Amino acid sequence: MSSSSSSNSGWIYDVFVSFRGEDTRKTFVSHLDAALSNAGINTFIDYRLEKGAEIVAQLVRAIQGSRMSLIVLSLDYASSRWCLDELVKVRQCDRTDGQMVVPIFYDVYPSDVRHQTGAFGERFKALVDKCLLQGMHHQCSSWRDALTTVANLAGCNSRNFRSDGELVDQIVEDIFRKLDMDLLTITEFPVGLESRVQQVIDFINHQSGRGCVVGIWGMGGSGKTTIAKFIYNQIRLRFKRRGFIEASNRGHIDLQEKLLSDVLRTKVKVHSIAMGISMIEKRFCGERTLIVLDDVTEFAQLKALCGNCKWIGVGSVVVITTRDVRLLKLLEVDYVYKMEEMDENESLELFSQHAFREEKPSEDFNELARNVVAYCGGLPLALEVLGSYLIKRTKKVWESVLLKLEKIPNYQVQKILRISFDGLSDPLEKDIFLDVCCFFIGKDRAYVTEILNGCGLCADIGITVLIERSLIKVEKNNKLGMHPLLREMGREIICESSRIEPGKRSRLWFQKDVLDVLTRNTGTEAIQGLSLKLRFTIKDCFEAYAFVEMKGLRLLQLDHVLLSGNYGYLSKQLRWVSWQGFALKYIPNNFDLKGVIAIDFKHSSLRLLWKKPQVLQCLKILNLSHSKYLIETPDFSGLPSLEKLILKDCPSLCKVHQSIGDLRDLLLINLKNCTSLSNLPREMYKLKSLKTLILSGCLKIDKLEEDIVQMESLTTLIAENIAVKQVPFSIVSSKSIGYISLCGYEGPLRILIPSIIWSWMSPRMNPLSRIHSIPGTSSLGPMDMQNNDLGDLALLFSNLSNQRSVLMQCDTKFQLSKQLGTILDFTKSELTSYTSQVLKHSLESYLIGIGSYAQGLNSLSRSISEGLATNESCDDFLPGDNYPHWLAYTGDGHSVYFTVPENCCMKGMTLCVVYLSTPENTATECLTSVIMVNYTKCNIQIFKRDTVISFNDVDWQCIISHLGLGDEVEIFVTFRHGLVVKKMAVYLMYGESVDMEIEPLPEPKEFAFIRFIKKIVMCDFW
């Protein structure tokens, strides 16, 4: 399965590939898989599923969740049931979901596939002949129809191509075109775009096929990127080679690799700028290519990407957006489009869309809206920011904003954007904004929130307010983002405080300024945050004394920075220390980290964190990932607040300190790829707060203790590629685990529970054959299962075989009905009611005794036997109540319903099943299970056959302990082989103290489960 770019919403994959493994797995399909992966196409190729008679559930989901299916029709494709079943399912999706299907005729003729002739047809005929002997007439017909249909579709014939490589290239190109893979997302409200875009496209169209370079120039926030995306979407299908490259904040080699990889749709590695220029010129020369270079900030970027522009041949188009028109003049572009401000009508419409979610302002805000639009000066970003800021505000607030706008010229982008910043009434929100724009763009929102909360900034509400006011965005994977112009605005605000002396600013991030302060020791108490990122090759060393005056420093970010001297000079107010490439073997004891919230020392040279244990009461996040020399964790006794411990890829780590078990707030442990770690301290299993445990790649860990059940909050356990051979059975009784990747199984396992129960009830059945059909989940008990997920199925089934009963406790009646319905669905083919008239001599009875039943059982057995011999209908011979020995309840079919009587002292119960006997089937042979449903307490008790035929006192106590006075109960008895059940009765056995009048045998009630569902539906309706 290839990694991919994002797919459209609602789809799991872009492409599903169906192929015959023996023919093409190691040849054509492997090349196709690599090409699709390199092109960023999200592909499902089945390398892991074993052959079987059916398409397994995950394969069906892959087919249904794919936008397109590629059918690689090779010579032996039609000799495989697996392939043909896939093809039938693909055709179903084509008809029902509109899935695109593309056949690839690989060394076969389409006509042979269409008519099942030639060598292809011979193989298909051999399979069909074999299957017809097995009675698979319908399936064979479906296969034939599917082959005929797919052969009539437009596809690719390998005989028309010189090589597999050429064929693969054509397939990738066709997929991009048909799935519109590179369609770019543009603004939600494209007001005024069409006319502007058309001017640029008209110029391109009038070049008579010659290559051209177009520049789009304008101030920040004027819509350059939006127009470039719009142009790209409009004309991209004219070009075989195309790409949209965001140039900002990328190194030159990185940009070259991105350009080559995106345009060629394969991963390309560049080792030098000169090499990259040469590769671009050679690979793109003579090709019709469309390239957009967005937000170019320096001429060196253009030189690295365009070279001397000689490769821009006939029909090629390069579009460059920049704020600096000088770059376009130096490159001598063919045409420069200058971004003009939006006119009044366009501005009002765009502003209204953001402020009112309508094309025009409401009547009572019309004048105010027009005044705001006038101050925005037609700048799209300013209109968006101010519109978002004023949405659902009162008139009074609008008037206040307008007063501010009067003081700021509308042509000054920075000042217009700053209105939103100045509108923050809380100074803490301003500090959060400035911290994010300097240090935390691209960081996880929760991570940043923890750190800034530790700074006393109330970041939970503060970040929410900034998001609402469009000053911060939450992007993919919960990362914080910010428009570059807003970031520049924030940084400009900081610079305004001291243009000449950077040491007097509140935050330092620009390398030249930081180096100046550290080398000249000009830091002051004003500095709250400092970031210095050096390349690994730079060996300059700074004195710790340079920090002596930075007493207010809260945020420190250093990459590959060497610091000598007394670490005691560093601020005592630090809350975040991110020091990648920390060069010392341990953190000096005089480095005061008592107030730190997060320590991030990735890629460090640490052997130990400290020589002596430290007390850091506030530390919540400790990340030492990729520290290849780290041999053991710190003593955690002094880290009581630790919530996240991340030690990913520490290959020398061989010991986790036993004090980890004392951490009461720990939520995450990530020990991925700690290849020297051979065991976990027993104390670690005491972590009741832990939610996520990651052990993947810990090759020496060969056992997980049964004590893992003590991790009562654990919801995610990921342990791929470790030496553990057996899943701890205690996981079964965990009430929290929601996701497991262990012993070869990965995913949420709650959907397996009903299947596991069925395999337990019917051990001769293959449980995996039913897994794919299970919707939903619940719980197993002591087996008492509550919302748990299970690991390795084979081992689990083995462990389950020792369980005499299962208790499923549901939280709601709706959940109970869903679970019961699922279980009954599993057995519905086995549960057959019989309501028509049957001959008396064909009826037999089967009695099941539970608890203390011996005294009444003999009497019941005699009475029933006599009734069978003398009565025409079982309604007449089943005994009714017999005071003081038993109370009787009957039901039609395979279940019986009753309400637990009051003032009773039940000693046991006897079940009587009246069924239609045949020479082939007897109740004893066909018995599967007894299922007791307590609708009042929302639980289901299940007893398998081995338990039913040997009920003991423990089993009876298990039953009676879950029954209370007035409980509504229904008992099902399930059989295999279609055993026909006509009637059931339950006899509640009592002692002499029963105090109730004898009543006639009650009439059978409506199937209680059906009444229960009706009740739920009516309650939900009303």
Side-chain angles (χ1 to χ4, degrees):
M1 193 183 303
S2 67
S3 60
S4 75
S5 60
S6 60
S7 299
N8 286 352
S9 176
W11 298 105
I12 305 173
Y13 304 103
D14 294 319
V15 175
F16 175 86
V17 181
S18 175
F19 65 100
R20 177 65 164 143
E22 295 176 5
D23 277 359
T24 58
R25 181 188 304 278
K26 296 181 179 179
T27 54
F28 172 73
V29 170
S30 67
H31 299 315
L32 178 63
D33 184 26
L36 293 171
S37 175
N38 289 338
I41 296 173
N42 190 3
T43 308
F44 184 93
I45 293 185
D46 170 23
Y47 285 126
R48 298 177 297 177
L49 299 178
E50 297 179 358
K51 295 180 181 178
E54 299 179 0
I55 298 176
V56 297
Q58 58 200 82
L59 190 58
V60 172
R61 286 195 297 271
I63 294 172
Q64 292 174 334
S66 298
R67 301 170 65 191
M68 171 187 286
S69 285
L70 292 181
I71 312 299
V72 182
L73 294 159
S74 57
L75 195 60
D76 279 326
Y77 185 92
S79 66
S80 167
R81 295 183 186 180
W82 180 274
C83 293
L84 294 171
D85 282 343
E86 284 184 355
L87 181 61
V88 170
K89 184 61 183 178
V90 166
R91 290 300 299 142
Q92 290 175 358
C93 292
D94 177 29
R95 291 192 298 269
T96 60
D97 302 327
Q99 183 185 91
M100 285 179 275
V101 181
V102 177
I104 310 298
F105 301 97
Y106 190 77
D107 285 341
V108 297
Y109 292 98
S111 60
D112 285 347
V113 177
R114 185 179 300 111
H115 303 296
Q116 297 90 54
T117 57
F120 183 90
E122 290 174 2
R123 286 161 172 78
F124 179 68
K125 184 177 184 301
L127 174 64
V128 168
D129 290 343
K130 187 177 182 181
C131 292
L132 288 176
L133 293 176
Q134 301 174 20
M136 298 171 61
H137 300 276
H138 176 72
Q139 199 163 5
C140 292
S141 176
S142 297
W143 293 340
R144 192 181 303 279
D145 291 343
L147 286 171
T148 301
T149 302
V150 78
N152 288 325
L153 299 175
C156 294
N157 190 335
S158 66
R159 299 175 187 273
N160 297 333
F161 294 84
R162 291 174 295 180
S163 66
D164 281 359
E166 184 178 341
L167 172 60
V168 167
D169 288 343
Q170 184 61 50
I171 292 171
V172 172
E173 180 64 30
D174 287 346
I175 291 173
F176 257 79
R177 176 173 50 82
K178 291 178 178 178
L179 297 185
D180 227 1
M181 293 292 296
D182 53 354
L183 180 67
L184 301 176
T185 302
I186 61 171
T187 179
E188 183 181 1
F189 306 114
V191 178
L193 281 181
E194 187 171 348
S195 60
R196 291 166 172 78
V197 168
Q198 197 58 47
Q199 292 183 49
V200 180
I201 292 180
D202 286 345
F203 174 82
I204 294 171
N205 290 340
H206 286 89
Q207 299 312 297
S208 301
R210 73 178 184 88
C212 65
V213 181
V214 175
I216 301 176
W217 167 55
M219 67 175 64
S222 57
K224 303 183 299 296
T225 298
T226 301
I227 284 188
K229 288 181 177 180
F230 211 106
I231 293 169
Y232 181 88
N233 285 344
Q234 289 281 333
I235 67 174
R236 73 190 190 289
L237 297 181
R238 305 180 193 174
F239 304 86
K240 180 179 180 181
R241 304 293 192 190
R242 55 189 182 266
F244 188 101
I245 312 301
E246 297 174 348
S248 61
N249 297 321
R250 287 182 181 270
H252 298 161
I253 292 177
D254 185 23
L255 276 173
Q256 292 173 329
E257 290 179 345
K258 176 69 173 172
L259 176 62
L260 286 162
S261 298
D262 281 12
V263 174
L264 298 176
R265 292 172 189 158
T266 187
K267 294 179 181 177
V268 177
K269 186 69 177 176
V270 175
H271 299 288
S272 69
I273 295 176
M275 175 185 177
I277 293 173
S278 176
M279 291 176 69
I280 290 171
E281 291 178 351
K282 289 178 181 178
R283 299 301 295 270
F284 295 167
C285 185
E287 295 269 6
R288 278 178 54 86
T289 308
L290 170 63
I291 297 174
V292 177
L293 305 176
D294 183 47
D295 199 15
V296 175
T297 57
E298 56 184 60
F299 187 67
Q301 291 176 321
L302 292 177
K303 291 295 291 181
L305 295 173
C306 298
N308 55 19
C309 295
K310 291 182 180 179
W311 60 267
I312 304 175
V314 175
S316 292
V317 175
V318 176
V319 179
I320 302 167
T321 75
T322 182
R323 302 177 208 178
D324 189 354
V325 71
R326 176 176 169 78
L327 305 182
L328 303 177
K329 292 178 179 179
L330 290 173
L331 195 64
E332 297 181 348
V333 301
D334 299 292
Y335 175 73
V336 176
Y337 177 79
K338 180 182 178 182
M339 296 296 301
E340 301 290 347
E341 293 83 11
M342 302 179 77
D343 64 33
E344 183 179 355
N345 291 333
E346 291 173 336
S347 296
L348 183 61
E349 182 179 349
L350 180 60
F351 176 78
S352 298
Q353 291 283 12
H354 286 285
F356 305 99
R357 295 295 186 262
E358 295 178 359
E359 292 184 1
K360 296 180 180 180
S362 57
E363 188 64 32
D364 51 342
F365 278 86
N366 184 58
E367 184 177 352
L368 289 170
R370 291 183 179 277
N371 289 338
V372 174
V373 167
Y375 278 106
C376 287
L379 194 67
L381 184 58
L383 292 163
E384 177 185 345
V385 171
L386 286 171
S388 300
Y389 175 73
L390 291 170
I391 189 170
K392 296 185 179 180
R393 303 282 189 183
T394 64
K395 279 189 176 182
K396 187 174 182 180
V397 174
W398 279 60
E399 291 165 354
S400 175
V401 170
L402 280 169
L403 289 174
K404 281 192 174 183
L405 284 171
E406 291 176 356
K407 302 174 183 178
I408 302 175
N410 59 16
Y411 59 86
Q412 296 183 17
V413 177
Q414 293 285 313
K415 291 184 179 180
I416 291 178
L417 294 176
R418 184 167 172 171
I419 292 171
S420 293
F421 177 82
D422 290 338
L424 297 172
S425 58
D426 191 338
L428 300 183
E429 294 168 2
K430 293 183 177 182
D431 276 333
I432 293 171
F433 175 80
L434 297 177
D435 284 343
V436 171
C437 76
C438 292
F439 307 112
F440 295 122
I441 293 176
K443 302 290 186 184
D444 180 75
R445 179 180 180 179
Y447 176 75
V448 176
T449 299
E450 286 279 14
I451 294 166
L452 298 185
N453 279 342
C455 296
L457 297 182
C458 304
D460 294 280
I461 183 61
I463 290 178
T464 300
V465 170
L466 296 176
I467 293 170
E468 291 174 348
R469 302 188 181 188
S470 298
L471 287 168
I472 289 178
K473 297 179 181 179
V474 178
E475 298 176 335
K476 187 178 180 181
N477 297 326
N478 208 37
K479 306 295 184 183
L480 293 183
M482 185 181 294
H483 192 284
L485 291 175
L486 291 169
R487 181 191 62 195
E488 290 179 8
M489 177 197 74
R491 294 182 174 185
E492 178 63 19
I493 291 169
I494 295 168
C495 292
E496 287 175 358
S497 63
S498 179
R499 291 284 183 189
I500 307 300
E501 300 181 61
K504 293 183 178 180
R505 298 174 191 163
S506 63
R507 296 158 182 85
L508 297 176
W509 66 92
F510 186 52
Q511 182 171 309
K512 180 176 179 296
D513 293 336
V514 178
L515 293 175
D516 178 76
V517 169
L518 293 182
T519 53
R520 295 174 54 216
N521 294 341
T522 56
T524 68
E525 288 190 25
I527 299 176
Q528 300 177 38
L530 182 146
S531 176
L532 177 59
K533 298 181 180 181
L534 300 180
R535 293 191 299 274
F536 182 72
T537 54
I538 295 178
K539 299 300 181 182
D540 292 341
C541 187
F542 303 93
E543 287 290 333
Y545 183 77
F547 289 88
V548 68
E549 295 299 330
M550 303 183 199
K551 300 185 186 301
L553 188 65
R554 300 180 287 113
L555 310 172
L556 179 62
Q557 182 179 34
L558 303 174
D559 283 8
H560 304 292
V561 174
L562 300 178
L563 199 63
S564 62
N566 186 352
Y567 279 56
Y569 290 129
L570 276 77
S571 170
K572 309 292 190 294
Q573 303 302 316
L574 284 171
R575 297 295 180 265
W576 176 56
V577 180
S578 176
W579 199 331
Q580 294 201 36
F582 184 74
L584 302 183
K585 295 181 180 180
Y586 55 86
I587 298 176
N589 288 337
N590 60 357
F591 189 178
D592 193 331
L593 300 171
K594 289 184 176 61
V596 169
I597 304 298
I599 293 177
D600 184 345
F601 277 32
K602 294 194 291 284
H603 300 282
S604 75
S605 298
L606 291 168
R607 269 68 169 176
L608 302 172
L609 192 57
W610 298 285
K611 270 190 172 181
K612 297 180 180 180
Q614 300 291 305
V615 177
L616 306 184
Q617 295 284 347
C618 301
L619 185 66
K620 293 188 175 184
I621 303 168
L622 177 60
N623 189 345
L624 306 178
S625 295
H626 313 291
S627 296
K628 60 182 180 180
Y629 305 111
L630 186 71
I631 59 175
E632 64 178 85
T633 70
D635 184 332
F636 297 101
S637 302
L639 313 178
S641 301
L642 193 65
E643 295 180 357
K644 296 181 180 180
L645 176 63
I646 308 169
L647 303 175
K648 184 169 63 174
D649 191 25
C650 295
S652 301
L653 183 71
C654 56
K655 180 182 178 182
V656 177
H657 198 277
Q658 65 270 17
S659 60
I660 194 171
D662 298 327
L663 299 176
R664 295 292 173 258
D665 299 320
L666 194 59
L667 303 174
L668 165 71
I669 298 177
N670 188 346
L671 297 171
K672 184 178 181 180
N673 292 335
C674 292
T675 52
S676 296
L677 188 63
S678 59
N679 62 76
L680 303 175
R682 200 71 179 242
E683 292 81 0
M684 186 167 150
Y685 295 100
K686 298 178 182 178
L687 293 170
K688 296 186 181 300
S689 61
L690 191 69
K691 292 185 176 181
T692 302
L693 176 60
I694 303 174
L695 301 172
S696 297
C698 295
L699 304 178
K700 294 186 178 181
I701 294 181
D702 58 5
K703 185 178 182 181
L704 293 179
E705 301 292 345
E706 296 291 341
D707 293 346
I708 198 170
V709 72
Q710 297 179 38
M711 295 180 171
E712 58 189 36
S713 299
L714 188 66
T715 58
T716 302
L717 172 61
I718 303 177
E720 302 166 337
N721 301 319
I722 66 174
V724 170
K725 295 296 189 297
Q726 182 168 345
V727 179
F729 184 65
S730 60
I731 286 179
V732 168
S733 58
S734 169
K735 297 181 180 180
S736 60
I737 294 180
Y739 180 95
I740 291 181
S741 178
L742 181 63
C743 294
Y745 186 84
E746 178 179 358
L749 299 185
R750 61 185 183 276
I751 62 173
L752 298 178
I753 290 173
S755 177
I756 293 168
I757 294 173
W758 177 251
S759 71
W760 169 77
M761 291 192 297
S762 305
R764 285 171 287 184
M765 299 289 289
N766 174 15
L768 298 179
S769 68
R770 290 184 176 261
I771 287 173
H772 68 274
S773 64
I774 310 171
T777 175
S778 187
S779 45
L780 291 178
M783 195 98 172
D784 182 357
M785 303 172 65
Q786 283 198 330
N787 303 323
N788 62 1
D789 296 327
L790 317 172
D792 181 46
L793 293 181
L795 291 168
L796 181 61
F797 293 145
S798 174
N799 287 328
L800 273 174
S801 64
N802 298 321
Q803 298 294 326
R804 291 182 61 82
S805 66
V806 169
L807 172 68
M808 300 183 68
Q809 180 61 56
C810 301
D811 296 326
T812 64
K813 291 186 177 181
F814 176 78
Q815 187 184 37
L816 175 68
S817 68
K818 187 175 180 181
Q819 287 303 319
L820 181 57
T822 300
I823 293 172
L824 294 181
D825 281 344
F826 270 80
T827 61
K828 63 184 177 182
S829 61
E830 318 295 345
L831 301 178
T832 307
S833 298
Y834 191 82
T835 56
S836 61
Q837 185 66 31
V838 240
L839 298 176
K840 64 177 181 179
H841 63 266
S842 65
L843 293 176
E844 294 286 347
S845 65
Y846 179 63
L847 298 180
I848 301 171
I850 312 171
S852 299
Y853 56 84
Q855 182 178 1
L857 184 62
N858 293 334
S859 176
L860 277 173
S861 180
R862 285 194 305 271
S863 177
I864 293 171
S865 297
E866 292 172 359
L868 283 171
T870 59
N871 292 285
E872 295 291 329
S873 169
C874 62
D875 288 331
D876 301 325
F877 67 75
L878 282 178
D881 295 337
N882 183 6
Y883 180 83
H885 302 294
W886 65 70
L887 295 179
Y889 301 87
T890 63
D892 290 329
H894 60 271
S895 73
V896 58
Y897 170 87
F898 66 94
T899 300
V900 178
E902 297 182 2
N903 302 321
C904 70
C905 50
M906 218 188 315
K907 302 298 184 180
M909 61 176 64
T910 298
L911 301 177
C912 176
V913 181
V914 180
Y915 65 97
L916 179 61
S917 176
T918 67
E920 296 80 14
N921 293 333
T922 66
T924 305
E925 294 172 347
C926 298
L927 177 66
T928 299
S929 65
V930 170
I931 303 171
M932 296 189 180
V933 183
N934 190 322
Y935 295 107
T936 304
K937 289 188 168 62
C938 288
N939 63 45
I940 304 171
Q941 283 183 279
I942 307 174
F943 300 88
K944 63 180 180 179
R945 180 183 183 278
D946 293 345
T947 305
V948 173
I949 63 177
S950 61
F951 270 125
N952 57 36
D953 290 341
V954 175
D955 299 321
W956 171 245
Q957 290 303 317
C958 181
I959 292 172
I960 200 68
S961 65
H962 291 91
L963 293 178
L965 303 181
D967 285 357
E968 297 181 13
V969 179
E970 187 166 14
I971 300 177
F972 297 81
V973 181
T974 67
F975 297 90
R976 293 181 291 109
H977 304 315
L979 189 79
V980 179
V981 178
K982 179 173 172 59
K983 207 170 191 68
M984 270 190 61
V986 60
Y987 298 92
L988 308 183
M989 317 301 288
Y990 293 95
E992 296 293 331
S993 61
V994 170
D995 182 18
M996 60 187 310
E997 296 180 4
I998 299 176
E999 298 179 0
L1001 186 69
E1003 290 294 323
K1005 297 185 178 181
E1006 178 186 18
F1007 185 31
F1009 177 53
I1010 300 298
R1011 292 188 290 108
F1012 181 68
I1013 294 298
K1014 288 180 179 179
K1015 182 178 179 181
I1016 291 176
V1017 171
M1018 291 301 293
C1019 290
D1020 289 345
F1021 179 80
W1022 293 107

